[in-house]
Amino acid sequence: AAGTTTTALATTTTPPATPELDALLPPNYGSTSLAAGFLPDPFSQVLTSGGSIDASYLGGGCLGWATAAPDVEIKWTSAGTALRFFFIADTTGDDTVLIINDPAGTWWCVDDSYGTPNPTIDFATGPTGTYDGWVASYATDTFIPGTLYITEVEANHP
């Protein structure tokens, strides 16, 4: 009897590009419009930090692990006032990193602030536009619940 021949087909795939944070993706916890003088101040959004994207590719001392999509998107209408973002973890001592992509497309990353492991980013004149924010954890398998605050009041901070 004649034998049968099986031929294996070789396939090649192009490895995916390095995953990156993407401000164009829909935010994990929604989008909010705020205007100078908003109330109540601070605005707050409960969220959980962490994800599978290593933010160190952004450079400038940026670090931590976040999702590709921003956690929040803030559509800000300014009157030239300061705008502050800060995150406070539910458990004292849990350490996170705050990452903001501002309306000009500039990336800002902060680890600790005000003598705490909670991050704060200030925009002195808070230019009008869209701010996309991520809260990153220090390891891919670490998810830290807490609250992101947005304020115009200088006394509001971690």
Side-chain angles (χ1 to χ4, degrees), residues 46-158:
V46 172
L47 58 85
T48 300
S49 74
S52 61
I53 310 290
D54 181 355
S56 65
Y57 79 90
L58 293 169
C62 208
L63 48 95
W65 297 82
T67 60
D71 288 319
V72 297
E73 177 181 79
I74 303 300
K75 295 176 181 177
W76 172 243
T77 303
S78 172
T81 58
L83 188 63
R84 171 176 289 158
F85 293 76
F86 63 98
F87 182 78
I88 298 178
D90 287 350
T91 302
T92 301
D94 279 354
D95 200 0
T96 56
V97 177
L98 183 57
I99 302 168
I100 303 285
N101 183 257
D102 73 13
T106 303
W107 292 94
W108 302 88
C109 302
V110 170
D111 184 5
D112 303 339
S113 65
Y114 293 91
T116 75
N118 300 307
T120 301
I121 296 177
D122 289 327
F123 295 94
T125 58
T128 292
T130 300
Y131 292 78
D132 290 290
W134 290 257
V135 181
S137 299
Y138 279 94
T140 57
D141 58 353
T142 302
F143 302 95
I144 297 172
T147 304
L148 177 69
Y149 295 94
I150 300 163
T151 185
E152 294 178 281
V153 178
E154 187 175 340
N156 290 339
H157 60 76

